[in-house]
Structures are given as structure tokens and as C-alpha cells.
């Protein structure tokens, strides 16, 4: 698959584009392992929902699947901040991998980090591995997710989650099909899903859970967010504030 790649820079940030002005990824040059874009930060909110980096880096997640490499932001963050995790990235376009390696400090493949070149949907449906955290961020140059936004795909993701598994998917909240995407996620996860309130970019991150129930009070989420910020520099305080303001956490407790 040939994907047109453009690189731009402004104010100390390097951007990835797929032949258009639409930003497909970003890296602050002085902080290559940080998450520059708001929606990528939000996709790591699973670290607040399960016991993990914020309080015991030896626990969760141990196996991570990332579908869609982009500028390697999620891959680098997990690889750098979750030393207990084995990370598998599935990317359909070799040109994206080459750009991430050349311009965005993609980690070298080793025992903890590997890349599979191919279709993310096909990979999930044809492999029987289980993952603690699955992150889906796959779009083409026209902001289309294709097979990565279908009910069979979400159902396959659900079946590939461990007993404490979480899935996070980046949805484009300004697209006409956004509500249908959320409905597919809800159906695939038997209602155990939540679309976070849209961030400024228009991206919406939806989470789905399997196995052990998630039950976190807002006060606990804020405390965990403070610990996570100290441990990794990742600030999810604004995410928690938006959850509270939007009424997405009835009774002050997030259930998933």
C-alpha cells in the first residue's frame, strides 16, 4: 500500500500528513516520547482505569496492541513509560513505518517492541493472542477508518482482550457516521463502553472493557491522574474535568 507522506514543522513540533493538511501525528522535537496531541493523551486514560503505571508499574498493561502507527506517539509513550509491556504495532503502510523511523524516533524492534506490516482488522481476526490494552488509531488520507470501524472488527477486538482488558479507539467526532461508530462499539462490548467528551480537535476516544469491572470515583481518578503526571508527565486532568462537566460520570463514579 502506497501512502503519500508529508512532514511539516512549526513552533518546535514536527507533524505527519498523508498527502493533505490533516494532521496524522505530531512530536514535540525536544520531548519525543511525550504525547503532543490531546486525543493521544486521552487514549492512554486506561492507565487511570486499571492499576498500572500510576501506582505499580509491574502490573498493567503487560501486552499492548497498537493498530495504526502514525507518528509512533502511542508506541513510544508505552515503550518508554511501561517497561513491563510488550508492544505489538500493526501498520498497513510501509511508508508510514519508514517516516516514523526517519522523522519521529521510532524505537528499534526488540523483545519488547515489534511491528507487523498488514491490515489491522485482518491481523486481529486471524490471530489468537490476548492483550491487556488495544489502541486503535487507523485512518487514511481522507479520514476514513474502513474495516477498522465495523461491528465484526470491534467484536474481534473484544474477543482478544484479556481478563482485565481495555480497548481505546480514536473516532472522528465531526464525521457524519460518528454516532453509528459509537453504537457499534457499544454493541460489540455489550454496553461496557464509553465515548469520552470530544476534545478540541474534534477527535473522540471511546473505551471498551472486558472482564473485571471498572469502577472509579472521580476523586480517585483525580488522585491517580496526579500520580500519573508525576510518573510520566502525562496530564489527564483536563480529561477528567471534561468527563465531570459533560455528565458522563453519573453519581460521580465511572463504571465500565
Amino acid at each position: 500500500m502506497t501512502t503519500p507522506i508529508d512532514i511539516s514543522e512549526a513552533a518546535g513540533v514536527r507533524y505527519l500528513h498523508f498527502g493533505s493538511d490533516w494532521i496524522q501525528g505530531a512530536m514535540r522535537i525536544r520531548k519525543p516520547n511525550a504525547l503532543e496531541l490531546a486525543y493521544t493523551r486521552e487514549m492512554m486514560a486506561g492507565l487511570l482505569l486499571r492499576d498500572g503505571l500510576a501506582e505499580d508499574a509491574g502490573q498493567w498493561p503487560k501486552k499492548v496492541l497498537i493498530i495504526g502507527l502514525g507518528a509512533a506517539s502511542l508506541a513510544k509513550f508505552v515503550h518508554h513509560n511501561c517497561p513491563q509491556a510488550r508492544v505489538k504495532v500493526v501498520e498497513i503502510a510501509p511508508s508510514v513505518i519508514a517516516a516514523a523511523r526517519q522523522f519521529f524516533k521510532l524505537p528499534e524492534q526488540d523483545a519488547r517492541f515489534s511491528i507487523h506490516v498488514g491490515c489491522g482488522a485482518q491481523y486481529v481476526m486471524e490471530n489468537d493472542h490476548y492483550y491487556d490494552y488495544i489502541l486503535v488509531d487507523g485512518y487514511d488520507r481522507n479520514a476514513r477508518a474502513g474495516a477498522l470501524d465495523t461491528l465484526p472488527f470491534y467484536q474481534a477486538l473484544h474477543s482478544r482482550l484479556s481478563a482485565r482488558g481495555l480497548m481505546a479507539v480514536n473516532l472522528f467526532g465531526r464525521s457524519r457516521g460518528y454516532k453509528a461508530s459509537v453504537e457499534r462499539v457499544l454493541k460489540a462490548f455489550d454496553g461496557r463502553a464509553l465515548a469520552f467528551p470530544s476534545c478540541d480537535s474534534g477527535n473522540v476516544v471511546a473505551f471498551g472493557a472486558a472482564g473485571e469491572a471498572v469502577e472509579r470515583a472521580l476523586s480517585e481518578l483525580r488522585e491517580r491522574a496526579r500520580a500519573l503526571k508525576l510518573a510520566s508527565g502525562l496530564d489527564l486532568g483536563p480529561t477528567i474535568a471534561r468527563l465531570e462537566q459533560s455528565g458522563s460520570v453519573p453519581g460521580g463514579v465511572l463504571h465500565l
Side-chain angles (χ1 to χ4, degrees):
M1 177 180 179
T2 301
T3 298
I5 300 293
D6 295 312
I7 306 295
S8 65
E9 288 187 16
V13 179
R14 184 173 295 158
Y15 298 98
L16 174 70
H17 311 267
F18 292 168
S20 71
D21 291 335
W22 192 51
I23 294 170
Q24 298 278 358
M27 177 186 75
R28 186 162 295 277
I29 296 170
R30 290 189 175 182
K31 296 181 178 180
N33 294 314
L35 295 171
E36 180 67 20
L37 300 179
Y39 86 87
T40 60
R41 296 194 290 272
E42 211 135 279
M43 289 187 75
M44 293 310 304
L47 295 173
L48 302 181
L49 305 180
R50 296 292 194 203
D51 294 335
L53 179 62
E55 56 190 45
D56 185 352
Q59 293 299 313
W60 189 96
K62 291 186 177 178
K63 290 188 69 178
V64 179
L65 175 64
I66 300 174
I67 297 176
L69 177 64
S73 301
L74 293 169
K76 289 185 297 182
F77 181 86
V78 176
H79 186 261
H80 182 71
N81 290 287
C82 303
Q84 80 284 358
R86 290 178 176 265
V87 182
K88 168 72 75 175
V89 176
V90 180
E91 169 56 51
I92 197 170
S95 57
V96 172
I97 299 170
R101 185 171 290 122
Q102 182 176 354
F103 297 105
F104 295 98
K105 299 187 182 298
L106 179 69
E108 294 294 328
Q109 297 193 64
D110 57 23
R112 290 184 49 234
F113 182 76
S114 61
I115 300 173
H116 173 83
V117 181
C119 170
Q122 185 177 351
Y123 180 87
V124 171
M125 292 176 183
E126 293 181 354
N127 286 273
D128 58 0
H129 304 295
Y130 288 87
Y131 298 93
D132 299 318
Y133 206 4
I134 300 178
L135 303 163
V136 183
D137 185 19
Y139 285 93
D140 65 15
R141 61 185 298 184
N142 298 308
R144 294 178 303 205
L148 301 183
D149 185 24
T150 63
L151 180 59
F153 174 63
Y154 292 132
Q155 289 170 328
L157 291 180
H158 184 265
S159 72
R160 299 269 60 87
L161 287 174
S162 68
R164 302 179 69 234
L166 292 178
M167 182 275 305
V169 57
N170 171 33
L171 304 174
F172 197 52
R174 292 174 183 157
S175 72
R176 288 177 294 178
Y178 158 68
K179 290 184 178 179
S181 298
V182 174
E183 288 300 319
R184 285 190 284 271
V185 174
L186 283 165
K187 185 172 182 179
F189 283 82
D190 301 318
R192 292 189 62 192
L194 173 66
F196 281 28
S198 174
C199 49
D200 292 342
S201 64
N203 297 78
V204 174
V205 176
F207 278 86
E212 182 182 313
V214 175
E215 188 172 302
R216 300 284 189 191
L218 281 169
S219 57
E220 184 182 7
L221 289 174
R222 282 191 285 266
E223 182 180 338
R224 292 170 67 83
R226 285 191 289 270
L228 179 60
K229 186 176 181 181
L230 285 174
S232 69
L234 176 60
D235 185 6
L236 288 173
T239 295
I240 297 170
R242 283 207 318 281
L243 280 170
E244 186 172 16
Q245 292 163 5
S246 69
S248 301
V249 188
V253 179
L254 188 152
H255 295 276
L256 200 59

